[in-house]
Amino acid sequence: MVRPNRWLKALSLFIGYGFLYLPILFLMIFSFNDSAIMTSWSGFSLRWYRSLLNDHALLEAAKLSFLIAAMTATAAVVLGTWAGYVLSRMVRFKGFPLYVGLLSAPLVIPEVVLGISLLLMFVEFSKLFGWPDGNGIFTIWVGHVLLCMAYVAVVIQSRIRDFDRSLEEAAMDLGATPLRVFFSITLPLLAPALMAAWLLAFTLSLDDVVIASFLSGPGYTTLPVEVFSRVRLGLKPEINALATVFILLVGLFVIVASRLQAGMQRTKLD
C-alpha cells in the first residue's frame, strides 16, 4: 500500500485552507492599516475602528440586522421544526407531495423571484387592507422566515429520521400522550439539531441582501444592504474593520455554541 507523502499532504492542506482563509486573514490585517488606500500598507493604526464607532448609519444597520436575524432564527426554528417533523413522521396524508413542494420551493426559487413576489403581495395587502403601512422590520422578517424555514425543516427532518424511536414508543406505552412525548422526549433529543438550525437561520438572515433590498423601506436598511450600497461606490477601510469585528464575534459565538452542544451531549451520555 502506497502511503501519501507527508509534504504533499501538508501542501494540500495549506492550499485548501489558504484558499479559504487567507483572504479573510488579509482583510483583518488591512483593517489595522493607517492608509486610506486599501491596497497600500502605511503602518499600524486603529483609526478605522474609531471611524466605525462614529458611523451611526452603519451601527444602526447592524443593530437592525441582528434584531431581524434573531427574530427570524427563532420563528424559523419553531415553524421549521414542526414542518420537518411532519415530513419525517406523517408521510401518508392527502396532498403530501404538494406540501413537500411548497416547503421546498424557497430552496430552489431564486431569491430575486422570491423578493419580487413578496413585495407584490405586501403592496396588494396594503391596497386592500391598509396593512402593512410601508416596508420595514415586519416585511423583512416575513421574507427571511419564509426562506430560512425551509432550511431548518431539512436539518430537523434528517435528524428525526436518525432517531431511535424506542424511547418514544416506551413513553407512549406508559401512558404519555403524543404531545407530552414530543415535548418531553423528542425535543430534548433534537436540541443539538435545533441549535444548528438556529445558527444556520441566523446566518442566512444576517447575510441576506436580495430579499432585504426588496422588502426594506426608508429608515429600515439592513447591514448587508448598507455595505453593498457603499461598496458599489468604492471600497472603504471601515468595511474591513466592520468585517473583522463580525468575524471575531461569529468565531466566539461558534465556540460557545460548540461548547454548549458538547456539554449537552455529555449530559445525555451520563
Side-chain angles (χ1 to χ4, degrees), residues 101-119:
L102 292 176
L103 186 61
S104 303
L107 298 174
V108 295
I109 293 177
E111 289 189 28
V112 174
V113 176
L114 190 61
I116 294 175
S117 303
L118 288 169
L119 176 61

Side-chain angles (χ1 to χ4, degrees), residues 194-221:
L194 291 174
M195 183 177 295
W198 194 94
L199 290 172
L200 176 61
F202 184 88
T203 304
L204 289 172
S205 174
L206 193 64
D207 184 59
D208 177 71
V209 175
V210 179
I211 294 178
S213 64
F214 282 103
L215 301 180
S216 60
Y220 296 98
T221 304

Side-chain angles (χ1 to χ4, degrees), residues 80-81 84-85 152-161 190 193-194 197:
T81 298
Y85 187 85
V152 172
V154 171
V155 174
I156 299 302
Q157 177 193 13
S158 61
R159 180 69 182 95
I160 291 178
R161 283 183 173 175
L190 278 175
L194 291 174

Side-chain angles (χ1 to χ4, degrees), residues 21 25 29 35 73 75 80 83-84 111 118 125 130 152 164 175 177 189 195 228 246 256 263:
Y21 297 112
L25 179 62
I29 291 174
S35 174
E111 289 189 28
L118 288 169
F125 276 9
V152 172
D164 181 6
T177 62
L189 291 174
M195 183 177 295
F228 183 72
F246 263 78
V256 172

Side-chain angles (χ1 to χ4, degrees), residues 43-171:
F44 181 87
S45 176
L46 296 175
R47 62 178 293 195
W48 304 117
Y49 289 90
R50 292 191 292 267
S51 177
L52 178 63
L53 292 176
N54 295 323
D55 194 330
H56 297 292
L58 211 56
L59 293 178
E60 288 299 321
K63 291 179 184 178
L64 180 65
S65 291
F66 275 106
L67 175 62
I68 293 176
M71 293 168 53
T72 297
T74 304
V77 165
V78 173
L79 297 175
T81 298
W82 186 249
Y85 187 85
V86 172
L87 283 175
S88 58
R89 294 290 175 85
M90 305 176 185
V91 295
R92 294 181 180 177
F93 64 87
K94 206 170 184 180
F96 182 76
L98 178 62
Y99 173 79
V100 175
L102 292 176
L103 186 61
S104 303
L107 298 174
V108 295
I109 293 177
E111 289 189 28
V112 174
V113 176
L114 190 61
I116 294 175
S117 303
L118 288 169
L119 176 61
L120 293 176
M121 182 190 73
F122 286 126
V123 168
E124 291 302 318
F125 276 9
S126 181
K127 289 180 181 179
L128 294 174
F129 309 109
W131 175 89
D133 187 16
N135 291 345
I137 294 178
F138 176 77
T139 55
I140 301 172
W141 174 71
V142 170
H144 285 184
V145 170
L146 181 63
L147 173 67
C148 297
M149 184 181 68
Y151 289 91
V152 172
V154 171
V155 174
I156 299 302
Q157 177 193 13
S158 61
R159 180 69 182 95
I160 291 178
R161 283 183 173 175
D162 295 335
F163 266 7
D164 181 6
R165 299 189 62 177
S166 59
L167 292 175
E168 296 174 322
E169 292 170 353

